[in-house]
Amino acid sequence: MEKKPIRKSPAGVTRRDFIKGMGTGALGTAVLPPLLGQTIATRKGRVPVYDKKTIALTVNGRKVSLEVGANETLLDVLRDRLDLTGAKKVCDRGECGGCTVHLDGEPVYACMVLAIRADGRTVKTVEGLADDDKLHPVQEAFIEKDGYQCGFCTPGFLMTTSAFLEKNPAPTLDEIKQALSGNLCRCGNYAKLYEAVETAAKKLRGA
Ligand code: FES
Ligand code: FES
């Protein structure tokens, strides 16, 4: 059978190179070098390709600037470079919610956000939830209702809940279940977690 000719992109990258790079997690070695310094087309227009970039973040109210690699996640930058280890690296693949932080007020899995995508944005981690010594009402409710158990899942639940209640201060039980569906508790403490969220909502409403 006649072999199809191998088609290369203008930057000299074949589809096979790309898949190989993704498969080994070695995007940087297989694909990036030919593209560095160039721009590539995306749905949002052409974007530059970096290997490193200096980014500016506001983290828990503090402005920081640091150079990050193109493949560094926001979670790794928070934990390994900024010593903010509250967001947990549990699955590292967007499945458990243990790494949840707020990015411009929205809950995100920090393990699934490249640090360069957070450039210029505001990040809040669980370390920034309390107001100095005064716990956030969500933290108080988790303690009161035994929603708080292990240190792996709890930070993510707190961040998801606090962002959710900002948008929906009087949720139904179904809405609470839906909001927490991206956070996993392996021991199945869900009944107490839902109760904690209901209590937190009341506290935030002053009810
Ligand atoms: S560690 Fe990010 S979703 Fe599990
Ligand atoms: S209490 Fe953390 S996994 Fe269940």
Side-chain angles (χ1 to χ4, degrees):
M1 200 165 94
E2 192 191 341
K3 273 194 169 176
K4 282 189 183 164
I6 297 174
R7 290 217 320 252
K8 292 200 171 216
S9 73
V13 179
T14 66
R15 187 175 138 79
R16 176 171 299 184
D17 290 335
F18 184 78
I19 291 169
K20 257 170 53 189
M22 293 297 283
T24 58
L27 189 64
T29 54
V31 178
L32 221 39
L35 298 178
L36 287 177
Q38 300 189 37
T39 61
I40 55 171
T42 72
R43 273 182 302 176
K44 292 187 175 169
R46 297 197 71 82
V47 296
V49 178
Y50 306 106
D51 61 343
K52 287 189 189 318
K53 185 176 193 291
T54 298
I55 62 168
L57 303 171
T58 304
V59 183
N60 298 334
R62 185 168 65 100
K63 289 192 185 308
V64 293
S65 170
L66 72 173
E67 188 179 69
V68 298
N71 59 352
E72 260 185 286
T73 64
L74 177 60
L75 180 62
D76 284 340
V77 166
L78 291 171
R79 291 181 56 84
D80 301 338
R81 312 274 299 277
L82 300 176
D83 276 340
L84 293 167
T85 54
K88 294 294 178 280
K89 194 173 191 174
V90 187
C91 69
D92 202 21
R93 52 198 265 183
E95 287 180 355
C96 73
C99 62
T100 305
V101 300
H102 298 176
L103 187 59
D104 289 342
E106 294 293 333
V108 296
Y109 292 157
C111 71
M112 300 299 287
V113 176
L114 288 174
I116 53 173
R117 300 302 300 266
D119 186 21
R121 301 174 74 181
T122 297
V123 180
K124 185 186 272 189
T125 70
V126 73
E127 288 91 341
L129 206 52
D131 186 4
D132 289 328
D133 289 343
K134 172 94 179 92
L135 290 180
H136 189 282
V138 172
Q139 292 171 307
E140 291 176 353
F142 270 58
I143 292 170
E144 285 169 25
K145 297 295 173 185
D146 286 335
Y148 166 62
Q149 291 198 57
C150 90
F152 284 96
C153 66
T154 303
F157 275 109
L158 291 172
M159 298 313 287
T160 298
T161 302
S162 52
F164 167 60
L165 294 180
E166 285 274 322
K167 293 217 164 111
N168 187 348
T172 63
L173 181 57
D174 279 348
E175 287 169 338
I176 293 172
K177 288 181 180 176
Q178 177 70 34
L180 298 192
S181 61
N183 291 74
L184 300 183
C185 164
R186 286 145 196 82
C187 26
N189 187 32
Y190 291 102
K192 288 181 186 287
L193 282 162
Y194 300 149
E195 215 182 316
V197 178
E198 281 171 337
T199 302
K202 283 189 194 143
K203 281 175 178 282
L204 286 163
R205 295 199 304 270

